[in-house]
Amino acid sequence: MKGHQPATTAPGATGIDPAALTREQLLGWRCALCGTLLTGDRPIGTVTLSQGPTLTTYPLWACDPNCTTENVWRAAITHAAGCEACRTGECETGQRHLDAYATAIRQEYAEGAG
């Protein structure tokens, strides 16, 4: 496949529009939900693309642990790496990032336990 995706079937069980996915997401290299390069993954369903008379079904993969936790942690670390106030523990933005991460982790564990 090159560049633009051809006409597609209806969104898969995940509700993801197949036309919005990149080649890397279709091939399982990047998260189908957030586009992050996958280092740990979990299956989330399939989508089917049509190109002329040919239908191709692709399994979709997402971040594991979930995208929210991963992205919130990445934001906290990225901020802290360049913030002098974070090094002294006096940064409100850094604290908000850490609080958001703590909330995401608690939610993830609650979903896994339920």
Side-chain angles (χ1 to χ4, degrees):
M1 278 185 256
K2 294 182 182 177
H4 179 68
Q5 294 294 328
T8 62
T9 60
T14 59
I16 295 173
D17 177 10
L21 297 172
T22 65
R23 179 176 183 267
E24 290 83 9
Q25 288 171 308
L26 289 170
L27 295 176
W29 302 338
R30 293 190 173 271
C31 176
L33 301 173
C34 72
T36 301
L37 188 62
L38 289 172
T39 54
D41 54 35
R42 59 190 164 95
I44 60 168
T46 62
V47 293
T48 302
L49 296 173
S50 65
Q51 185 170 12
T54 305
L55 292 177
T56 305
T57 299
Y58 294 91
L60 296 179
W61 300 89
C63 297
D64 188 23
N66 76 39
C67 302
T68 302
T69 305
E70 199 66 23
N71 290 335
V72 170
W73 178 246
R74 187 174 291 113
I77 293 301
T78 301
H79 171 80
C83 178
E84 186 64 37
C86 280
R87 294 186 186 114
T88 62
E90 300 172 4
C91 179
E92 291 180 22
T93 301
Q95 189 59 53
R96 279 194 307 273
H97 282 301
L98 291 176
D99 292 344
Y101 176 68
T103 300
I105 282 289
R106 281 192 297 277
Q107 181 179 358
E108 184 176 322
Y109 285 125
E111 290 171 359

